[in-house]
Amino acid sequence: MVSKADRVVLIGVGGDSGCGKSTFLRRLKDLFSKELVTVICLDDYHSLDRKQRKETGITALDPRANNFDLMAEQAAALKSGQSIQKPIYNHETGKIDPPERIDPTPIVILEGLHPFYDKRVRDLLDFKVYFDLSDPIKIQWKIQRDMAERGHSYDDVIRAIESRRPDFSAYIDPQKQHADVVLQILPSELPEKKDGTKKIKAAMVQVEGIPNYDPPYLFDRAISDVCWKPNFPNSDPELTFCYGTTDYFGRPASYLSIDGEFAPDDSPELEQKLRNTSETRFGELASLILKHTDYPGSRDGTGFFQVLIGLKFRSIYEALIAQSLAAAKV
Ligand code: ADP
Ligand code: G6P
């Protein structure tokens, strides 16, 4: 449990739909009690409803279909502790419903397609996370979900991805250059699985100089480029865990990566080699993975890094409330 403070911390979680944002938010629930957190889905700021988008040919990804003035005004109001009347985009009817009152809580999460698109909104955010799903994995996950659960054909899935691509590339993807931490979800460099599906390589890129963020690293900070193949008996024999430095859109950064799959029971050993995890007790990261082995990504770096990003966000949150409490005492 984290203590309350008279300060609203705003976090932005961006990325295409289906890239793991909701799974990440579910994982955050283990770290913060319910009354501390409000999640705002930025789809609620669609200014054109489904019918209008269809008539104009403007997609939901296009900024012209979204009301950034209202988003900026309401994000600023929440951050300064005021309630808002937030619009609601109704995903069932495709219409914009009457607004609902939202009262600020100590943590407000703006989640969706455009959290970093508008500079006014971006500048209000205390921590910015982007989920960057590479095309082959995007296709694989969408096929798994839409074909298995929604009865779509393979061609439907590919067509849906293709039709989103121009606006995705123009308006969504470029936002990643503004993020503090990017979770890249890439095809593995290891051999494919027997069923032909791709394994995942997840890389957590962390830009240098994020306020209140001490980057996690592997083994020893002095060793800046290092890989470790743990060779766990129940995990991928080639499982590879790396740490290194990089350049992210002209900004110095470091990254952690995990290529391949591991048994969740092996996560304590993976965690032991990491430093600066911002755990409050030894083994916390692994215990959070083991708590939800049913969540997608619990057997690869996506879940592992989602939990790690959550722990790092908790420490940013705690630092910010401590600073605001200290300032209030002066
Ligand atoms: P978003 O909130 O960004 O739309 P979700 O967290 O709801 O994304 O994930 C969408 C779907 O993608 C899930 O239902 C699941 O099928 C798949 N998925 C998400 N994360 C993973 C993962 N790490 N590994 C495999 N599939 C995943
Ligand atoms: C995409 C976007 C969503 C958006 C939706 C609207 O799926 O990722 O953020 O809200 O389109 O589409 P709809 O089917 O409701 O018209």
Side-chain angles (χ1 to χ4, degrees), residues 93-180:
T93 61
K95 293 192 175 142
I96 293 154
D97 283 350
E100 61 176 341
R101 179 184 159 136
I102 300 285
D103 299 317
T105 51
I107 298 171
V108 174
I109 302 177
L110 305 185
E111 164 282 304
L113 294 172
H114 301 98
F116 320 139
Y117 186 83
D118 185 284
K119 187 171 186 309
R120 294 166 298 177
V121 178
R122 193 163 75 225
D123 288 348
L124 290 167
L125 297 170
D126 296 295
F127 187 50
K128 302 188 274 295
V129 184
Y130 185 88
F131 289 87
D132 186 6
L133 190 58
S134 70
D135 252 18
I137 306 295
K138 193 182 276 188
I139 292 169
Q140 181 162 301
W141 287 5
K142 230 177 150 39
I143 283 172
Q144 276 162 4
R145 187 181 64 177
D146 292 358
M147 283 176 71
E149 296 166 24
R150 301 183 179 176
H152 296 191
S153 72
Y154 178 82
D155 288 347
D156 290 341
V157 173
I158 300 296
R159 220 172 298 128
I161 291 176
E162 289 297 335
S163 68
R164 284 174 78 88
R165 198 190 310 276
D167 283 353
F168 173 77
S169 304
Y171 310 119
I172 311 304
D173 190 55
Q175 292 176 75
K176 64 190 181 194
Q177 62 192 290
H178 301 297
D180 298 317

Coordinates of all heavy atoms in Angstrom, one line a residue, residues 93-180:
T93 N -22.3 1.3 -29.1 CA -23.2 2.0 -30.0 C -22.4 2.8 -31.0 O -22.9 3.2 -32.1 CB -24.1 3.0 -29.3 OG1 -23.3 3.9 -28.6 CG2 -25.0 2.3 -28.3
G94 N -21.1 3.1 -30.7 CA -20.3 4.0 -31.5 C -20.7 5.5 -31.4 O -20.3 6.3 -32.2
K95 N -21.5 5.8 -30.3 CA -21.9 7.2 -30.2 C -21.2 7.8 -28.9 O -20.6 7.1 -28.1 CB -23.4 7.2 -30.0 CG -24.2 6.8 -31.2 CD -25.6 7.2 -31.1 CE -26.3 6.8 -32.4 NZ -27.6 6.3 -32.2
I96 N -21.3 9.1 -28.8 CA -20.8 9.8 -27.7 C -21.9 10.0 -26.6 O -22.9 10.7 -26.9 CB -20.1 11.1 -28.1 CG1 -18.9 10.7 -29.0 CG2 -19.7 12.0 -26.9 CD1 -18.4 11.8 -30.0
D97 N -21.7 9.4 -25.5 CA -22.7 9.4 -24.4 C -22.6 10.7 -23.6 O -21.6 11.4 -23.6 CB -22.6 8.2 -23.5 CG -23.1 6.9 -24.2 OD1 -23.8 7.0 -25.2 OD2 -22.9 5.8 -23.6
P98 N -23.6 11.0 -22.8 CA -23.5 12.2 -21.9 C -22.3 12.0 -21.0 O -22.0 10.9 -20.6 CB -24.8 12.1 -21.1 CG -25.7 11.3 -21.9 CD -24.9 10.3 -22.7
P99 N -21.7 13.1 -20.6 CA -20.5 13.0 -19.8 C -20.7 12.5 -18.4 O -21.8 12.5 -17.9 CB -20.0 14.5 -19.8 CG -21.1 15.3 -20.1 CD -22.0 14.5 -20.9
E100 N -19.6 12.0 -17.8 CA -19.6 11.6 -16.4 C -18.7 12.4 -15.6 O -17.6 12.9 -16.1 CB -19.3 10.1 -16.3 CG -17.9 9.8 -16.8 CD -17.5 8.3 -16.6 OE1 -18.1 7.6 -15.8 OE2 -16.5 7.9 -17.3
R101 N -19.0 12.6 -14.3 CA -18.1 13.3 -13.4 C -16.9 12.4 -13.0 O -17.1 11.3 -12.6 CB -18.9 13.8 -12.2 CG -18.0 14.6 -11.2 CD -18.8 14.9 -10.0 NE -17.9 15.2 -8.9 CZ -18.0 16.2 -8.1 NH1 -19.1 17.0 -8.2 NH2 -17.1 16.4 -7.1
I102 N -15.7 13.0 -13.1 CA -14.5 12.2 -12.6 C -13.8 13.1 -11.6 O -13.5 14.3 -11.8 CB -13.5 12.0 -13.8 CG1 -14.2 11.1 -14.9 CG2 -12.2 11.3 -13.2 CD1 -14.3 9.6 -14.6
D103 N -13.7 12.6 -10.4 CA -12.9 13.3 -9.3 C -11.5 12.8 -9.3 O -11.3 11.6 -9.5 CB -13.6 13.0 -8.0 CG -15.0 13.4 -7.9 OD1 -15.3 14.5 -8.4 OD2 -15.9 12.7 -7.4
P104 N -10.5 13.7 -9.2 CA -9.1 13.2 -9.2 C -8.8 12.3 -8.1 O -9.3 12.6 -7.0 CB -8.4 14.5 -9.2 CG -9.3 15.6 -8.6 CD -10.7 15.1 -9.0
T105 N -8.0 11.4 -8.3 CA -7.4 10.5 -7.3 C -5.9 10.8 -7.3 O -5.4 11.4 -8.2 CB -7.7 9.0 -7.6 OG1 -7.3 8.8 -8.9 CG2 -9.1 8.7 -7.4
P106 N -5.1 10.3 -6.3 CA -3.7 10.6 -6.3 C -3.0 10.1 -7.6 O -2.0 10.8 -8.0 CB -3.1 9.8 -5.1 CG -4.3 9.8 -4.2 CD -5.5 9.6 -5.1
I107 N -3.5 9.1 -8.3 CA -2.9 8.7 -9.6 C -4.0 8.7 -10.6 O -5.0 8.1 -10.5 CB -2.3 7.3 -9.5 CG1 -1.2 7.2 -8.4 CG2 -1.8 6.8 -10.8 CD1 -0.7 5.8 -8.1
V108 N -3.7 9.4 -11.7 CA -4.6 9.4 -12.9 C -3.8 8.9 -14.1 O -2.7 9.4 -14.4 CB -5.2 10.8 -13.1 CG1 -6.0 10.8 -14.4 CG2 -6.0 11.3 -12.0
I109 N -4.4 7.9 -14.7 CA -3.7 7.2 -15.9 C -4.4 7.6 -17.1 O -5.6 7.4 -17.2 CB -3.6 5.7 -15.7 CG1 -2.9 5.3 -14.4 CG2 -2.9 5.1 -16.9 CD1 -2.9 3.9 -14.1
L110 N -3.7 8.2 -18.1 CA -4.3 8.5 -19.4 C -3.8 7.4 -20.3 O -2.6 7.3 -20.6 CB -3.9 9.9 -19.9 CG -4.1 11.1 -19.0 CD1 -3.7 12.3 -19.8 CD2 -5.6 11.1 -18.6
E111 N -4.7 6.6 -20.8 CA -4.4 5.4 -21.5 C -5.0 5.4 -22.9 O -6.2 5.7 -23.0 CB -4.8 4.2 -20.7 CG -4.9 2.8 -21.2 CD -6.1 2.5 -22.1 OE1 -7.3 2.7 -21.6 OE2 -5.9 2.1 -23.2
G112 N -4.3 5.1 -23.9 CA -4.9 5.1 -25.3 C -4.0 5.3 -26.4 O -2.8 5.1 -26.3
L113 N -4.6 5.8 -27.5 CA -3.8 6.0 -28.7 C -3.0 7.2 -28.8 O -1.9 7.3 -29.4 CB -4.8 6.0 -29.9 CG -5.6 4.8 -30.3 CD1 -6.6 5.1 -31.3 CD2 -4.7 3.7 -30.8
H114 N -3.4 8.3 -28.1 CA -2.8 9.6 -28.2 C -2.3 10.3 -26.9 O -2.5 11.5 -26.8 CB -3.7 10.6 -28.9 CG -4.2 10.2 -30.3 ND1 -5.4 9.6 -30.5 CD2 -3.6 10.3 -31.5 CE1 -5.6 9.3 -31.8 NE2 -4.5 9.7 -32.4
P115 N -1.7 9.6 -26.0 CA -1.4 10.3 -24.7 C -0.3 11.3 -24.9 O -0.2 12.3 -24.1 CB -1.0 9.2 -23.8 CG -0.6 8.1 -24.6 CD -1.4 8.2 -25.9
F116 N 0.6 11.2 -25.9 CA 1.7 12.1 -26.0 C 1.6 12.9 -27.3 O 2.6 13.5 -27.7 CB 3.1 11.3 -26.1 CG 3.2 10.2 -25.1 CD1 3.8 8.9 -25.5 CD2 2.6 10.2 -23.8 CE1 3.8 7.9 -24.6 CE2 2.7 9.2 -23.0 CZ 3.3 8.0 -23.4
Y117 N 0.5 12.9 -28.0 CA 0.4 13.6 -29.3 C 0.4 15.1 -29.1 O 1.0 15.8 -29.8 CB -0.9 13.1 -30.0 CG -1.0 13.7 -31.4 CD1 -0.3 13.1 -32.4 CD2 -1.7 14.9 -31.6 CE1 -0.3 13.6 -33.7 CE2 -1.7 15.4 -32.9 CZ -1.1 14.8 -33.9 OH -1.1 15.3 -35.2
D118 N -0.4 15.5 -28.1 CA -0.6 17.0 -27.9 C 0.4 17.4 -26.8 O 0.5 16.9 -25.7 CB -2.0 17.2 -27.5 CG -2.3 18.7 -27.3 OD1 -1.9 19.3 -26.3 OD2 -3.0 19.2 -28.2
K119 N 1.2 18.5 -27.2 CA 2.3 18.9 -26.3 C 1.7 19.3 -24.9 O 2.3 19.1 -23.9 CB 3.1 20.0 -26.9 CG 4.3 20.4 -26.1 CD 5.2 21.4 -26.8 CE 6.5 21.7 -26.1 NZ 6.3 22.1 -24.7
R120 N 0.5 19.9 -24.9 CA 0.0 20.4 -23.6 C -0.3 19.2 -22.7 O 0.0 19.3 -21.5 CB -1.4 21.2 -23.9 CG -1.2 22.4 -24.7 CD -2.5 22.9 -25.2 NE -3.2 22.0 -26.1 CZ -4.4 22.1 -26.7 NH1 -5.1 23.2 -26.4 NH2 -4.8 21.2 -27.5
V121 N -0.8 18.1 -23.3 CA -1.1 17.0 -22.5 C 0.2 16.3 -22.0 O 0.4 16.0 -20.9 CB -2.0 15.9 -23.2 CG1 -2.3 14.7 -22.4 CG2 -3.3 16.6 -23.7
R122 N 1.1 16.2 -23.0 CA 2.4 15.5 -22.8 C 3.2 16.1 -21.6 O 3.7 15.5 -20.8 CB 3.2 15.6 -24.1 CG 4.4 14.8 -24.2 CD 4.8 14.7 -25.7 NE 5.4 15.9 -26.2 CZ 5.1 16.5 -27.3 NH1 4.2 16.0 -28.1 NH2 5.8 17.5 -27.8
D123 N 3.2 17.5 -21.7 CA 3.9 18.2 -20.6 C 3.4 18.0 -19.2 O 4.1 18.4 -18.3 CB 4.1 19.7 -21.0 CG 5.0 19.9 -22.2 OD1 5.7 18.9 -22.6 OD2 5.0 21.0 -22.8
L124 N 2.1 17.6 -19.1 CA 1.5 17.4 -17.8 C 1.9 16.1 -17.2 O 1.7 15.9 -16.0 CB 0.0 17.5 -17.9 CG -0.6 18.9 -18.2 CD1 -2.1 18.7 -18.6 CD2 -0.5 19.8 -17.0
L125 N 2.4 15.2 -18.0 CA 2.6 13.8 -17.6 C 3.9 13.6 -16.7 O 4.9 14.1 -17.1 CB 2.6 12.8 -18.8 CG 1.3 12.8 -19.6 CD1 1.5 12.0 -20.9 CD2 0.2 12.2 -18.8
D126 N 3.7 12.9 -15.6 CA 4.9 12.7 -14.8 C 5.7 11.5 -15.2 O 6.8 11.3 -14.8 CB 4.4 12.5 -13.3 CG 3.8 13.8 -12.8 OD1 4.5 14.8 -12.6 OD2 2.6 13.8 -12.5
F127 N 5.1 10.6 -16.0 CA 5.8 9.4 -16.4 C 5.1 8.9 -17.7 O 3.8 8.9 -17.7 CB 5.7 8.3 -15.4 CG 6.5 7.1 -15.6 CD1 7.9 7.2 -16.0 CD2 6.0 5.8 -15.5 CE1 8.6 6.0 -16.3 CE2 6.8 4.7 -15.7 CZ 8.1 4.8 -16.1
K128 N 5.9 8.6 -18.7 CA 5.3 8.2 -20.0 C 5.8 6.9 -20.5 O 7.0 6.7 -20.6 CB 5.7 9.3 -21.1 CG 5.3 10.7 -20.7 CD 5.5 11.7 -21.8 CE 6.9 12.3 -21.9 NZ 7.3 13.1 -20.7
V129 N 4.8 6.0 -20.7 CA 5.2 4.6 -21.1 C 4.6 4.3 -22.4 O 3.4 4.6 -22.6 CB 4.6 3.5 -20.1 CG1 5.1 2.1 -20.5 CG2 5.1 3.9 -18.7
Y130 N 5.3 3.8 -23.4 CA 4.8 3.4 -24.7 C 5.0 1.9 -25.0 O 6.1 1.4 -24.7 CB 5.5 4.3 -25.8 CG 4.9 4.1 -27.1 CD1 3.8 4.9 -27.6 CD2 5.3 3.1 -28.0 CE1 3.2 4.7 -28.8 CE2 4.8 2.9 -29.3 CZ 3.7 3.7 -29.7 OH 3.1 3.5 -30.9
F131 N 4.0 1.3 -25.5 CA 4.1 -0.1 -25.8 C 4.2 -0.2 -27.3 O 3.4 0.2 -28.1 CB 2.8 -0.9 -25.4 CG 2.8 -1.1 -23.9 CD1 2.3 -0.1 -23.1 CD2 3.4 -2.2 -23.3 CE1 2.3 -0.2 -21.7 CE2 3.4 -2.3 -21.9 CZ 2.9 -1.3 -21.1
D132 N 5.4 -0.7 -27.8 CA 5.8 -0.7 -29.2 C 5.8 -2.1 -29.7 O 6.8 -2.9 -29.5 CB 7.2 0.0 -29.3 CG 7.6 0.2 -30.7 OD1 6.7 -0.1 -31.6 OD2 8.7 0.6 -31.0
L133 N 4.7 -2.5 -30.3 CA 4.5 -3.9 -30.8 C 4.9 -4.0 -32.2 O 4.4 -3.3 -33.1 CB 3.0 -4.2 -30.6 CG 2.5 -5.6 -30.8 CD1 3.2 -6.5 -29.8 CD2 1.0 -5.6 -30.5
S134 N 5.9 -4.8 -32.5 CA 6.4 -4.9 -33.9 C 5.3 -5.6 -34.8 O 4.5 -6.4 -34.2 CB 7.7 -5.6 -34.0 OG 7.5 -7.0 -33.7
D135 N 5.3 -5.4 -36.1 CA 4.3 -5.9 -36.9 C 4.1 -7.4 -36.9 O 2.9 -7.9 -36.7 CB 4.6 -5.5 -38.4 CG 3.6 -4.5 -38.8 OD1 2.9 -3.8 -37.9 OD2 3.4 -4.3 -40.0
P136 N 5.2 -8.2 -36.9 CA 4.9 -9.7 -36.9 C 4.2 -10.2 -35.6 O 3.4 -11.1 -35.7 CB 6.3 -10.3 -37.0 CG 7.2 -9.2 -37.4 CD 6.6 -7.9 -37.1
I137 N 4.5 -9.5 -34.5 CA 3.9 -9.9 -33.3 C 2.5 -9.4 -33.2 O 1.5 -10.1 -32.7 CB 4.7 -9.5 -32.0 CG1 6.2 -10.0 -32.1 CG2 4.1 -10.0 -30.7 CD1 6.4 -11.5 -32.1
K138 N 2.3 -8.2 -33.7 CA 0.9 -7.6 -33.8 C 0.0 -8.5 -34.6 O -1.1 -8.9 -34.2 CB 1.0 -6.2 -34.5 CG -0.2 -5.4 -34.4 CD -0.1 -4.1 -35.1 CE 0.6 -3.0 -34.3 NZ 0.6 -1.7 -35.0
I139 N 0.5 -9.0 -35.7 CA -0.3 -9.9 -36.5 C -0.6 -11.2 -35.8 O -1.7 -11.7 -35.7 CB 0.5 -10.2 -37.9 CG1 0.5 -8.9 -38.7 CG2 -0.2 -11.4 -38.6 CD1 1.4 -9.0 -39.9
Q140 N 0.5 -11.8 -35.1 CA 0.3 -13.0 -34.4 C -0.7 -12.9 -33.3 O -1.6 -13.8 -33.1 CB 1.7 -13.5 -33.8 CG 1.6 -14.8 -33.1 CD 3.0 -15.4 -32.9 OE1 3.7 -15.6 -33.9 NE2 3.5 -15.6 -31.7
W141 N -0.6 -11.8 -32.5 CA -1.6 -11.7 -31.4 C -3.0 -11.5 -31.9 O -4.0 -12.0 -31.3 CB -1.2 -10.5 -30.5 CG 0.0 -10.8 -29.6 CD1 0.8 -11.9 -29.7 CD2 0.6 -9.9 -28.6 NE1 1.8 -11.7 -28.7 CE2 1.7 -10.5 -28.1 CE3 0.2 -8.6 -28.1 CZ2 2.5 -10.0 -27.1 CZ3 1.0 -8.1 -27.1 CH2 2.1 -8.7 -26.6
K142 N -3.1 -10.7 -32.9 CA -4.4 -10.4 -33.5 C -5.1 -11.6 -34.1 O -6.3 -11.8 -33.9 CB -4.3 -9.3 -34.5 CG -5.3 -8.1 -34.3 CD -5.2 -7.0 -35.3 CE -6.5 -6.3 -35.5 NZ -7.4 -6.0 -34.4
I143 N -4.2 -12.4 -34.7 CA -4.7 -13.7 -35.3 C -5.2 -14.6 -34.1 O -6.3 -15.1 -34.2 CB -3.6 -14.4 -36.1 CG1 -3.5 -13.6 -37.5 CG2 -3.9 -15.8 -36.3 CD1 -2.4 -14.1 -38.3
Q144 N -4.4 -14.7 -33.1 CA -4.8 -15.6 -32.0 C -6.1 -15.1 -31.4 O -7.0 -15.9 -31.1 CB -3.7 -15.5 -30.9 CG -2.5 -16.5 -31.1 CD -1.3 -16.1 -30.3 OE1 -1.3 -15.2 -29.5 NE2 -0.2 -16.9 -30.6
R145 N -6.2 -13.8 -31.2 CA -7.5 -13.3 -30.6 C -8.7 -13.2 -31.6 O -9.7 -13.8 -31.3 CB -7.2 -11.9 -30.0 CG -8.4 -11.4 -29.2 CD -8.2 -10.1 -28.6 NE -8.1 -9.0 -29.6 CZ -8.0 -7.7 -29.4 NH1 -7.9 -7.3 -28.2 NH2 -7.9 -6.9 -30.4
D146 N -8.5 -12.6 -32.7 CA -9.6 -12.4 -33.6 C -10.1 -13.6 -34.3 O -11.3 -13.8 -34.6 CB -9.3 -11.2 -34.6 CG -9.2 -9.9 -33.9 OD1 -9.4 -9.9 -32.7 OD2 -8.9 -8.9 -34.5
M147 N -9.1 -14.5 -34.6 CA -9.6 -15.7 -35.3 C -10.2 -16.7 -34.3 O -11.2 -17.3 -34.5 CB -8.4 -16.4 -36.0 CG -8.1 -15.7 -37.4 SD -6.7 -16.3 -38.2 CE -7.3 -17.9 -38.8
A148 N -9.5 -16.9 -33.1 CA -10.0 -17.9 -32.2 C -11.2 -17.4 -31.5 O -12.2 -18.2 -31.3 CB -8.8 -18.1 -31.1
E149 N -11.2 -16.1 -31.1 CA -12.4 -15.7 -30.2 C -13.4 -14.9 -31.0 O -14.5 -14.8 -30.5 CB -11.8 -14.8 -29.1 CG -10.9 -15.5 -28.1 CD -10.1 -14.5 -27.3 OE1 -10.5 -13.4 -27.0 OE2 -9.0 -15.0 -26.8
R150 N -13.1 -14.4 -32.1 CA -14.1 -13.5 -32.8 C -14.5 -14.0 -34.1 O -15.2 -13.3 -34.9 CB -13.6 -12.1 -32.9 CG -13.3 -11.5 -31.5 CD -12.8 -10.1 -31.6 NE -12.6 -9.6 -30.3 CZ -12.1 -8.4 -30.0 NH1 -11.8 -7.5 -31.0 NH2 -11.9 -8.0 -28.7
G151 N -14.0 -15.2 -34.5 CA -14.4 -15.8 -35.8 C -14.0 -15.1 -37.1 O -14.5 -15.3 -38.1
H152 N -13.0 -14.2 -37.0 CA -12.5 -13.5 -38.2 C -11.6 -14.4 -38.9 O -10.9 -15.3 -38.4 CB -11.7 -12.2 -37.8 CG -12.5 -11.2 -37.1 ND1 -12.0 -9.9 -36.9 CD2 -13.7 -11.2 -36.5 CE1 -12.9 -9.2 -36.2 NE2 -14.0 -10.0 -36.0
S153 N -11.5 -14.2 -40.3 CA -10.6 -15.0 -41.1 C -9.2 -14.4 -41.0 O -9.0 -13.2 -40.7 CB -11.1 -15.1 -42.5 OG -10.8 -13.8 -43.1
Y154 N -8.2 -15.1 -41.5 CA -6.8 -14.6 -41.6 C -6.7 -13.4 -42.4 O -6.1 -12.4 -42.0 CB -5.9 -15.7 -42.1 CG -4.4 -15.3 -42.3 CD1 -3.6 -15.4 -41.2 CD2 -4.0 -14.8 -43.5 CE1 -2.3 -14.9 -41.3 CE2 -2.6 -14.4 -43.6 CZ -1.8 -14.5 -42.5 OH -0.5 -14.1 -42.6
D155 N -7.4 -13.4 -43.6 CA -7.4 -12.2 -44.5 C -8.0 -11.0 -43.8 O -7.6 -9.9 -44.0 CB -8.1 -12.6 -45.8 CG -7.3 -13.5 -46.7 OD1 -6.1 -13.7 -46.3 OD2 -7.8 -14.1 -47.6
D156 N -9.1 -11.2 -43.1 CA -9.8 -10.1 -42.3 C -8.8 -9.4 -41.4 O -8.7 -8.2 -41.3 CB -10.9 -10.6 -41.4 CG -12.1 -11.1 -42.2 OD1 -12.2 -10.7 -43.4 OD2 -12.9 -11.8 -41.6
V157 N -8.0 -10.3 -40.7 CA -7.0 -9.7 -39.7 C -6.0 -8.9 -40.4 O -5.7 -7.8 -40.0 CB -6.4 -10.9 -38.9 CG1 -5.3 -10.4 -38.0 CG2 -7.5 -11.6 -38.1
I158 N -5.4 -9.5 -41.5 CA -4.4 -8.8 -42.2 C -4.9 -7.5 -42.8 O -4.3 -6.4 -42.7 CB -3.8 -9.7 -43.4 CG1 -3.2 -10.9 -42.8 CG2 -2.8 -8.9 -44.2 CD1 -2.0 -10.8 -41.9
R159 N -6.1 -7.5 -43.4 CA -6.8 -6.3 -44.0 C -7.0 -5.3 -42.9 O -6.7 -4.1 -43.1 CB -8.1 -6.7 -44.6 CG -8.3 -6.0 -45.9 CD -9.6 -6.5 -46.7 NE -9.5 -7.9 -47.0 CZ -10.4 -8.8 -46.8 NH1 -11.5 -8.5 -46.1 NH2 -10.3 -10.0 -47.2
A160 N -7.4 -5.7 -41.7 CA -7.6 -4.7 -40.6 C -6.3 -4.0 -40.2 O -6.3 -2.8 -40.0 CB -8.3 -5.4 -39.4
I161 N -5.3 -4.8 -40.2 CA -4.0 -4.2 -39.8 C -3.5 -3.3 -40.9 O -3.0 -2.2 -40.6 CB -2.9 -5.4 -39.5 CG1 -3.3 -6.1 -38.2 CG2 -1.5 -4.8 -39.4 CD1 -2.5 -7.3 -37.9
E162 N -3.6 -3.7 -42.1 CA -3.2 -2.9 -43.3 C -3.9 -1.6 -43.3 O -3.4 -0.5 -43.6 CB -3.4 -3.6 -44.6 CG -2.4 -4.8 -44.8 CD -1.0 -4.4 -44.9 OE1 -0.7 -3.3 -45.3 OE2 -0.1 -5.3 -44.6
S163 N -5.3 -1.6 -43.0 CA -6.0 -0.4 -43.2 C -5.7 0.6 -42.1 O -5.8 1.8 -42.3 CB -7.5 -0.7 -43.2 OG -7.9 -1.2 -41.9
R164 N -5.2 0.1 -41.0 CA -4.8 1.0 -39.9 C -3.4 1.6 -40.1 O -3.1 2.6 -39.5 CB -4.8 0.3 -38.5 CG -6.1 0.0 -37.9 CD -5.9 -0.9 -36.7 NE -5.5 -0.2 -35.6 CZ -6.2 0.4 -34.7 NH1 -7.6 0.4 -34.8 NH2 -5.8 1.1 -33.6
R165 N -2.6 0.9 -40.9 CA -1.2 1.2 -40.9 C -0.9 2.7 -41.3 O -0.1 3.3 -40.6 CB -0.5 0.3 -41.9 CG 1.0 0.3 -41.6 CD 1.8 -0.5 -42.7 NE 1.3 -1.8 -43.0 CZ 1.6 -2.9 -42.3 NH1 2.4 -2.8 -41.3 NH2 1.1 -4.0 -42.7
P166 N -1.5 3.3 -42.3 CA -1.1 4.7 -42.7 C -1.3 5.6 -41.5 O -0.4 6.4 -41.2 CB -2.0 5.0 -43.8 CG -2.4 3.7 -44.4 CD -2.5 2.8 -43.3
D167 N -2.4 5.6 -40.9 CA -2.7 6.5 -39.7 C -1.9 6.1 -38.5 O -1.4 7.0 -37.7 CB -4.2 6.6 -39.4 CG -4.9 7.5 -40.4 OD1 -4.2 8.1 -41.3 OD2 -6.2 7.5 -40.4
F168 N -1.7 4.8 -38.3 CA -0.8 4.4 -37.2 C 0.6 5.0 -37.4 O 1.1 5.5 -36.4 CB -0.8 2.8 -37.1 CG 0.2 2.4 -36.1 CD1 -0.2 2.4 -34.8 CD2 1.4 1.9 -36.5 CE1 0.7 2.0 -33.8 CE2 2.3 1.5 -35.5 CZ 2.0 1.6 -34.1
S169 N 1.1 4.8 -38.6 CA 2.5 5.3 -38.8 C 2.5 6.8 -38.7 O 3.6 7.4 -38.3 CB 3.0 4.9 -40.2 OG 2.9 3.5 -40.3
A170 N 1.5 7.5 -39.2 CA 1.5 9.0 -39.2 C 1.3 9.6 -37.8 O 2.0 10.6 -37.4 CB 0.5 9.5 -40.1
Y171 N 0.4 9.0 -37.0 CA 0.0 9.7 -35.8 C 0.3 8.9 -34.4 O 0.4 9.6 -33.4 CB -1.5 10.0 -35.8 CG -1.9 10.6 -37.1 CD1 -2.9 10.0 -37.9 CD2 -1.4 11.9 -37.4 CE1 -3.2 10.6 -39.1 CE2 -1.8 12.5 -38.6 CZ -2.7 11.9 -39.5 OH -3.1 12.5 -40.6
I172 N 0.3 7.6 -34.5 CA 0.5 6.9 -33.2 C 2.0 6.6 -33.0 O 2.5 7.0 -32.0 CB -0.4 5.6 -33.2 CG1 -1.8 5.9 -33.7 CG2 -0.4 4.9 -31.8 CD1 -2.6 6.9 -32.9
D173 N 2.5 5.9 -33.9 CA 3.9 5.4 -33.7 C 4.9 6.5 -33.4 O 5.8 6.3 -32.5 CB 4.3 4.6 -35.0 CG 5.6 3.9 -34.9 OD1 5.7 3.1 -33.9 OD2 6.5 4.1 -35.7
P174 N 4.8 7.7 -34.0 CA 5.9 8.7 -33.7 C 5.8 9.2 -32.3 O 6.8 9.8 -31.8 CB 5.5 9.9 -34.7 CG 4.7 9.3 -35.8 CD 3.9 8.1 -35.1
Q175 N 4.7 8.9 -31.6 CA 4.7 9.4 -30.2 C 5.7 8.7 -29.3 O 6.1 9.2 -28.2 CB 3.3 9.1 -29.6 CG 2.2 10.0 -30.2 CD 0.9 9.5 -29.6 OE1 0.6 9.8 -28.5 NE2 0.1 8.8 -30.4
K176 N 6.2 7.6 -29.7 CA 7.2 6.8 -28.9 C 8.4 7.6 -28.6 O 9.1 7.4 -27.6 CB 7.5 5.4 -29.5 CG 8.2 5.4 -30.8 CD 8.2 4.0 -31.3 CE 8.9 3.9 -32.6 NZ 8.7 2.7 -33.3
Q177 N 8.8 8.6 -29.5 CA 10.0 9.3 -29.2 C 9.9 10.2 -28.0 O 10.8 10.8 -27.5 CB 10.4 10.1 -30.5 CG 9.3 11.1 -30.9 CD 9.6 11.7 -32.3 OE1 10.6 12.4 -32.5 NE2 8.8 11.3 -33.3
H178 N 8.6 10.4 -27.6 CA 8.4 11.3 -26.4 C 8.4 10.5 -25.1 O 8.2 11.1 -24.0 CB 7.1 12.1 -26.5 CG 7.1 13.0 -27.7 ND1 8.0 14.0 -27.8 CD2 6.3 13.0 -28.8 CE1 7.8 14.6 -29.0 NE2 6.7 14.0 -29.6
A179 N 8.4 9.2 -25.2 CA 8.2 8.3 -24.0 C 9.4 8.3 -23.1 O 10.5 8.6 -23.6 CB 7.8 6.9 -24.4
D180 N 9.2 8.0 -21.8 CA 10.3 7.8 -20.9 C 10.8 6.4 -21.0 O 12.0 6.1 -21.0 CB 9.9 8.1 -19.5 CG 9.5 9.6 -19.3 OD1 10.2 10.5 -19.8 OD2 8.4 9.8 -18.6

